[in-house]
């Protein structure tokens, strides 16, 4: 056996590290800043309504890995919890462990020892101990190498029938706690002596990368074989030194008549190569596990790590004779080949839940980016109970190997309810293959997947409106969040919104497009009314003129809806206008003029105040109300109420201001002065005109009560308890008058 020094491609390593030094993927998302207090409240309420921050920051790698570790903890479980999990999980039959009667591999012949150069030792230490943030990643790296070796052999056997072996194409992992060894074996293409020097003796020299470059120049099956290869950087093998003091590699090339070889290294100063006997075609890596890494000698730890990172590798993986990767990578299959039962089982696997998916999508694209994906929407909203934001539900793979679980930056935050897998061989990975590099490829991938999901949900809504109605009721908060935050996709996302309307029965939802389609040709706006429930909306003085005129109004019952309308502002060229707004008031005035209504009152039979009387009363009321009102005028609206207010802060914004003040984030602001509109045909208003002359003090109380009643109708009275004393005084006078 003779000793060979590493050829260290330092410049290649540094260049690869420079190209692949992206810290993480993330995309900022959030409601835009506003210049006014009310608009600032708008943004804060949006954040509050969706139970957490709306900004998706670039993930800190350490924090991200901590979260992964928490999600996929490999700590020993107590017997009761383990039994519970086994009863809840589908059982997998264990293959019987067969006694291996083959002769053991053994190095033969003399060996020579040579020292590494000092800079090489330092570089190897960096690769083995500083490149990866999680030690468990070494399992993924060695399995990926084994998978590549099997793929290469499969391709070689197509062109050379004499190559290879009759051994099953599989990856075997064996842990021996007594001997403190962990071995990874494959029946793949193996290596010759020269290939050992090139692939293991040269850091950052990727045999798989060279293979891909060669195959990509070919056509047909050769190109398909290249697409199945995982390796890129030539450093994954050295990750084994994170858990091992020494590594021994037995290998024999699949080329006919090849000799077996043994490669050994302690990862510090040298490696040796010698001939070996009893070595089958393929590669076997034996790691002498350190005491501080003995958890990787546990079958359960190995199985959990394999399921986390390498569950969908295209070859069987066994741990001590028991097959681990039992779930198929459905996203690689044609959608017509996947049964509903397979969809259900795969959804449960990737989502870690036991409900059934409501919708599923298999999406593939080859240009401009290679994408293979399978996506699901749950049946139930995981945040419905008021818990904090759940992690993104889509995991990112490259050639069926996990790159990032619950990947941020691949979808906007509002689509975090979507579960599934996105696999792309074009991902710009960093050297450790743990994080993405931000750049045009990731931005393009995010844009493509997001657009396709929105289109998918639109298609489902057209197929079955009732089923989509159930989906929208469960997940409307996410879609509304998307309309407010994801401006790039706002127009298309708005097509997913559903609301009740005054023209439909209670509980029936329609799309904004349906409303626009049945608008009269002379209707300028899409009218909406925010009210806590339908009955409140139908009995409101603000809806009365629209009901009389026969104009359809959207009824919005969620506290977030007002902000959705404000952020959307228009749909298909039609402005969204609240029935409480000045624009709506102008339209009502135009309707009255067109219909020839001289009076806007509901009942003019008893006569209204004259213009002189109305002017006198409005001037007196303005003085009586003081700073509460900025104007008092005769209403142009049709209504059965004595008074309403207009030009006021919306209930949602007002509530947000109160919340901010309560949290100490801003001063408690007084109610902004409103415009008061009175109905001069209403008996209360007509009697108030007379009362101000006979009992001005009581008339002042009545005018303030009318104002508070109008605030209640508008939903903006901060605290109704403030009017109780005044209301009791008025009732006392009314009761005494009735008694007399």
């Amino acid at each position: 056996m003779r000793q060979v020094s590493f050829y260290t491609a330092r410049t290649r390593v540094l260049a690869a590290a420079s190209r692949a030094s992206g810290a993480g993927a993330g995309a900022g998302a959030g409601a835009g800043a506003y210049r006014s207090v009310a608009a600032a409240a708008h943004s804060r309420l949006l954040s509050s309504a969706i139970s957490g921050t709306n900004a998706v920051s670039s993930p800190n790698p350490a924090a991200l890995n901590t979260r992964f570790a928490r999600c996929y903890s490999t700590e020993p479980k107590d017997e009761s919890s383990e039994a519970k999990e086994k009863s809840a999980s589908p059982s997998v039959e264990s293959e019987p462990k067969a006694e291996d009667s083959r002769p053991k591999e053994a190095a033969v012949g003399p060996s020579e020892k040579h020292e590494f150069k000092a800079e090489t030792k330092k570089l190897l230490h960096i690769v083995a101990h500083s490149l990866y943030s999680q030690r468990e990643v070494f399992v993924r790296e060695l399995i990926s190498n084994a998978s590549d070796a099997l793929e290469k052999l499969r391709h070689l056997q197509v062109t050379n029938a004499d190559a290879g072996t009759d051994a099953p194409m599989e990856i075997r992992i064996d842990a021996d706690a007594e001997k403190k060894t962990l071995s990874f074996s494959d029946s793949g293409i193996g290596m010759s002596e020269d290939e050992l020097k090139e692939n293991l003796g040269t850091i950052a020299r990727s045999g798989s990368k060279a293979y891909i470059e060669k195959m990509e120049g070919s056509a047909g099956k050769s190109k398909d074989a290249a697409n199945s290869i995982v390796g890129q950087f030539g450093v994954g093998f050295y990750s084994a030194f994170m858990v091992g003091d020494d590594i021994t590699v037995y290998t024999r090339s699949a080329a006919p008549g090849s000799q077996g070889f043994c490669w050994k290294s302690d990862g510090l100063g040298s490696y040796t190569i010698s001939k070996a006997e009893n070595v089958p075609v393929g590669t076997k890596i034996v790691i002498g596990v350190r005491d501080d890494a003995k958890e990787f000698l546990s079958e359960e730890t190995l199985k959990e790590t394999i399921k986390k990172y390498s569950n969908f590798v295209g070859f069987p993986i066994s741990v001590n004779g028991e097959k681990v990767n039992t779930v198929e990578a459905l996203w690689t299959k044609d959608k017509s080949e996947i049964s509903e039962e397979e969809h259900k089982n795969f959804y449960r696997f990737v989502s870690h839940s036991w409900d059934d998916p409501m919708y599923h999508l298999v999406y593939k694209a080859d240009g401009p980016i290679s994408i293979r994906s399978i996506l699901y929407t749950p049946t139930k909203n995981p945040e419905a109970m008021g818990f904090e934001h759940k992690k993104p539900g889509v995991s990112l793979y490259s050639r069926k190997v996990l790159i990032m679980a619950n990947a941020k930056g691949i979808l906007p935050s509002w689509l975090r309810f979507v579960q599934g897998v996105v696999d792309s061989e074009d991902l710009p990975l960093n050297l450790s293959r743990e994080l993405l590099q931000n750049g045009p490829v990731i931005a393009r991938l995010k844009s493509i997947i997001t657009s396709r999901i929105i289109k998918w949900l639109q298609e489902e809504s057209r197929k079955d409106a009732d089923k989509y109605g159930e989906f929208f009721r469960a997940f409307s908060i996410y879609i509304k969040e998307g309309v407010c935050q994801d401006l790039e996709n706002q127009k298309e996302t708005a097509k997913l919104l559903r609301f009740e309307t005054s023209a439909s029965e209670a509980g029936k939802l329609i799309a904004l497009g349906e409303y626009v389609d049945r608008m009269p040709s002379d209707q300028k706006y899409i009218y909406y009314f925010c009210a806590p429930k339908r009955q409140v909306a139908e009995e409101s003085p603000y809806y009365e003129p629209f009901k009389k005129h026969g104009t359809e109004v959207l009824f919005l019952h969620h506290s977030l809806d007002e902000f959705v309308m404000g952020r959307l502002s228009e749909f298909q060229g039609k402005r969204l206008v609240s029935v409480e707004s000045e624009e709506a008031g102008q339209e009502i005035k135009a309707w009255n003029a067109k219909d020839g209504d001289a009076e806007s009152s509901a009942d003019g039979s008893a006569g209204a105040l004259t213009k002189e009387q109305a002017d006198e009363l409005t001037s007196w009321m303005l003085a009586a109300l003081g700073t509460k009102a900025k104007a008092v005028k005769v209403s142009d609206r049709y209504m059965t109420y004595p008074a309403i207010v207009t030009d006021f802060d919306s209930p949602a914004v007002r509530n947000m201001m109160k919340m901010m003040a309560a949290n100490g984030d801003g001063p408690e602001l007084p109610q902004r002065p409103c415009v008061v509109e009175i109905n001069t045909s209403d008996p209360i208003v007509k009697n108030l005109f007379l009362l101000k002359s006979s009992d001005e003090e009581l008339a002042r109380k009545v005018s303030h009560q009318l104002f508070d009643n109008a605030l209640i109708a508008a939903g903006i009275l901060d605290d109704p308890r403030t009017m109780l004393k005044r209301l009791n005084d008025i009732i006392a006078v009314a009761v005494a008058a009735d008694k007399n």
Side-chain angles (χ1 to χ4, degrees):
M1 177 168 48
R2 48 192 167 70
Q3 177 80 17
V4 184
S5 64
F6 275 115
Y7 163 70
T8 308
R10 293 200 303 159
T11 54
R12 180 160 63 248
V13 174
L14 294 175
S18 175
R19 290 192 303 271
S21 61
Y34 288 84
R35 291 186 176 88
S36 66
V37 174
H42 172 148
S43 180
R44 288 295 302 274
L45 181 59
L46 175 58
S47 298
S48 175
I50 58 178
S51 304
T53 180
N54 289 326
V56 181
S57 61
S58 297
N60 176 287
L64 190 59
N65 286 313
T66 301
R67 292 198 294 273
F68 287 174
R70 195 178 299 129
C71 290
Y72 298 95
S73 173
T74 57
E75 291 296 319
K77 301 173 184 176
D78 59 63
E79 293 181 3
S80 61
S81 63
E82 187 174 356
K84 191 180 295 183
E85 286 190 12
K86 286 183 177 179
S87 64
S89 304
S91 60
V92 180
E93 288 190 17
S94 301
E95 297 178 6
K97 300 180 182 178
E99 199 67 37
D100 192 350
S101 60
R102 294 176 298 178
K104 298 299 182 183
E105 303 87 349
V108 294
S111 64
E112 295 181 5
K113 186 173 183 179
H114 296 273
E115 292 295 314
F116 284 109
K117 294 180 181 179
E119 60 270 25
T120 303
K121 288 196 290 185
K122 181 181 290 187
L123 183 58
L124 183 58
H125 186 273
I126 291 173
V127 171
H129 298 285
S130 302
L131 183 61
Y132 299 95
S133 58
Q134 294 285 331
R135 290 200 300 181
E136 64 185 17
V137 172
F138 86 94
V139 178
R140 180 195 71 182
E141 296 296 290
L142 296 184
I143 289 176
S144 296
N145 288 349
S147 174
D148 287 351
L150 290 164
E151 285 288 355
K152 293 173 187 176
L153 178 61
R154 183 153 58 185
H155 173 66
L156 180 62
Q157 289 175 334
V158 172
T159 57
N160 185 351
D162 296 329
T165 173
D166 294 332
M169 302 188 80
E170 62 182 3
I171 301 168
R172 300 184 309 278
I173 302 174
D174 294 287
D176 190 326
E178 291 184 6
K179 295 181 180 179
K180 296 182 181 180
T181 60
L182 181 61
S183 65
F184 290 73
S185 305
D186 67 72
S187 52
I189 198 167
M191 288 177 281
S192 65
E193 182 179 11
D194 289 340
E195 288 169 334
L196 270 175
K197 296 175 186 178
E198 291 177 356
N199 296 336
L200 302 189
T202 307
I203 301 173
R205 197 277 179 188
S206 172
S208 291
K209 183 68 173 178
Y211 180 83
I212 291 173
E213 292 170 352
K214 179 181 177 181
M215 292 297 101
E216 283 181 340
S218 306
K221 293 183 178 179
S222 296
K223 193 168 184 179
D224 292 339
N227 291 338
S228 300
I229 300 298
V230 179
Q232 296 186 48
F233 300 113
V235 295
F237 168 77
Y238 307 101
S239 65
F241 284 112
M242 290 192 293
V243 297
D245 285 323
D246 59 84
I247 297 177
T248 301
V249 179
Y250 296 100
T251 186
R252 181 157 73 90
S253 172
S258 295
Q259 169 71 48
F261 290 93
C262 174
W263 182 100
K264 291 184 178 182
S265 176
D266 58 7
L268 296 176
S270 65
Y271 72 91
T272 62
I273 294 179
S274 62
K275 292 182 180 180
E277 59 185 13
N278 302 323
V279 179
V281 170
T283 300
K284 179 179 181 179
I285 300 170
V286 182
I287 305 170
V289 179
R290 297 197 305 268
D291 288 339
D292 66 351
K294 61 183 180 181
E295 69 268 21
F296 293 105
L297 294 173
S298 163
E299 286 189 20
E300 289 304 314
T301 298
L302 290 169
K303 290 175 183 177
E304 287 300 317
T305 306
I306 292 167
K307 288 178 181 178
K308 177 179 177 180
Y309 291 105
S310 306
N311 193 78
F312 302 112
V313 166
F315 299 96
I317 304 172
S318 63
V319 174
N320 289 353
E322 181 180 343
K323 186 177 179 182
V324 178
N325 56 334
T326 58
V327 180
E328 189 177 1
L330 291 189
W331 66 88
T332 62
K333 299 175 66 174
D334 188 271
K335 62 181 179 181
S336 61
E337 300 174 353
I338 306 173
S339 68
E340 289 299 319
E341 187 67 20
E342 286 177 310
H343 273 303
K344 182 172 70 174
N345 292 334
F346 189 81
Y347 163 76
R348 290 178 175 179
F349 178 83
V350 298
S351 66
H352 308 289
S353 61
W354 288 99
D355 64 331
D356 294 337
M358 182 170 286
Y359 297 126
H360 54 73
L361 171 70
V362 179
Y363 173 62
K364 299 181 180 181
D366 293 313
I369 300 174
S370 172
I371 300 172
R372 301 290 183 269
S373 64
I374 186 165
L375 303 169
Y376 299 93
T377 64
T379 302
K380 298 178 180 178
N381 177 3
E383 297 176 11
M385 300 303 293
F387 299 125
E388 63 180 11
H389 279 194
K390 71 183 298 294
K391 294 177 181 178
V394 173
S395 294
L396 191 61
Y397 285 70
S398 182
R399 295 182 169 96
K400 297 190 287 187
V401 175
L402 178 69
I403 302 302
M404 187 182 295
N406 309 113
K408 290 185 177 181
I410 299 303
L411 291 177
S413 175
W414 68 274
L415 285 174
R416 60 190 176 275
F417 67 90
V418 176
Q419 304 287 325
V421 168
V422 172
D423 191 321
S424 176
E425 61 193 50
D426 297 326
L427 296 177
L429 306 176
N430 74 349
L431 201 58
S432 66
R433 294 196 302 171
E434 292 180 291
L435 297 172
L436 300 175
Q437 299 181 75
N438 286 324
V441 174
I442 296 301
R444 183 61 176 152
L445 178 64
K446 178 179 180 179
S447 177
I448 292 172
I449 295 295
T450 301
S451 297
R452 186 63 187 91
I453 290 174
I454 295 172
K455 182 180 178 182
W456 163 42
L457 294 176
Q458 290 174 354
E459 292 168 350
E460 295 292 351
S461 70
R462 289 191 290 269
K463 288 179 187 176
D464 189 335
D466 292 337
K467 183 178 179 181
Y468 181 78
E470 294 177 17
F471 166 80
F472 184 80
R473 288 184 179 91
F475 296 95
S476 61
I477 186 69
Y478 299 94
I479 295 171
K480 293 170 184 178
E481 181 184 340
V483 171
C484 292
Q485 294 184 346
D486 188 1
L487 300 184
E488 180 181 350
N489 298 291
Q490 187 185 68
K491 288 185 178 180
E492 292 302 311
T493 306
K495 296 178 182 178
L496 300 175
L497 293 170
R498 296 294 185 272
F499 300 107
E500 287 189 39
T501 85
S502 58
S504 304
E505 63 270 20
K508 181 177 176 56
L509 304 178
I510 72 161
L512 292 176
E514 294 179 65
Y515 181 101
V516 172
D517 289 342
R518 57 198 194 200
M519 282 174 57
S521 58
D522 60 345
Q523 184 175 327
K524 294 168 58 177
Y525 305 127
I526 298 173
Y527 295 104
Y528 67 88
F529 186 23
C530 296
K533 54 186 179 180
R534 187 182 184 97
Q535 182 180 357
V536 173
E538 290 177 333
E539 295 177 358
S540 170
Y542 298 99
Y543 171 63
E544 283 184 323
F546 294 88
K547 182 178 181 181
K548 180 175 182 290
H549 190 259
T551 301
E552 185 174 12
V553 175
L554 297 172
F555 288 156
L556 282 53
H557 303 315
H558 195 280
S559 58
L560 192 61
D561 290 341
E562 186 172 353
F563 295 113
V564 174
M565 297 293 107
R567 292 291 282 170
L568 187 57
S569 74
E570 68 171 26
F571 182 83
Q572 294 184 0
K574 298 289 186 179
R575 280 191 58 204
L576 294 155
V577 170
S578 169
V579 297
E580 302 164 315
S581 67
E582 284 295 321
E583 293 96 327
Q586 293 299 319
E587 284 298 293
I588 293 170
K589 188 175 182 178
W591 295 342
N592 292 338
K594 183 177 179 180
D595 295 341
D597 291 343
E599 296 180 350
S600 60
S601 63
D603 184 7
S605 58
L609 296 176
T610 65
K611 185 177 184 305
E612 292 76 12
Q613 291 173 327
D615 290 343
E616 181 181 341
L617 179 60
T618 54
S619 297
W620 178 85
M621 284 186 67
L622 181 60
L625 293 173
T627 58
K628 291 182 177 181
K630 63 180 179 182
V632 179
K633 65 179 184 179
V634 177
S635 180
D636 294 316
R637 296 170 178 258
Y638 170 88
M639 62 179 177
T640 58
Y641 286 69
I644 62 170
V645 292
T646 58
D647 191 21
F648 52 85
D649 289 331
S650 69
V653 170
R654 185 64 194 164
N655 288 337
M656 190 59 223
M657 289 179 178
K658 291 164 62 179
M659 289 171 58
M660 290 172 65
N663 292 333
D665 295 333
E668 184 171 0
L669 300 178
Q671 180 75 52
R672 186 165 66 89
C674 307
V675 174
V676 181
E677 297 186 9
I678 61 173
N679 176 6
T680 56
S681 296
D682 188 88
I684 295 176
V685 173
K686 290 190 291 184
N687 287 328
L688 177 62
F689 173 76
L690 301 174
L691 184 62
K692 70 179 179 62
S693 300
S694 60
D695 189 341
E696 187 172 6
E697 181 60 27
L698 178 59
R700 286 181 182 276
K701 291 180 179 180
V702 172
S703 65
H704 279 275
Q705 189 60 48
L706 286 177
F707 179 77
D708 282 353
N709 290 353
L711 294 183
I712 291 174
I716 58 173
L717 184 63
D718 287 342
D719 189 349
R721 290 174 295 184
T722 58
M723 68 179 186
L724 287 179
K725 184 179 183 306
R726 180 203 318 127
L727 185 58
N728 287 333
D729 290 344
I730 296 173
I731 293 174
V733 173
V735 171
D738 184 65
K739 183 177 180 180
N740 293 333

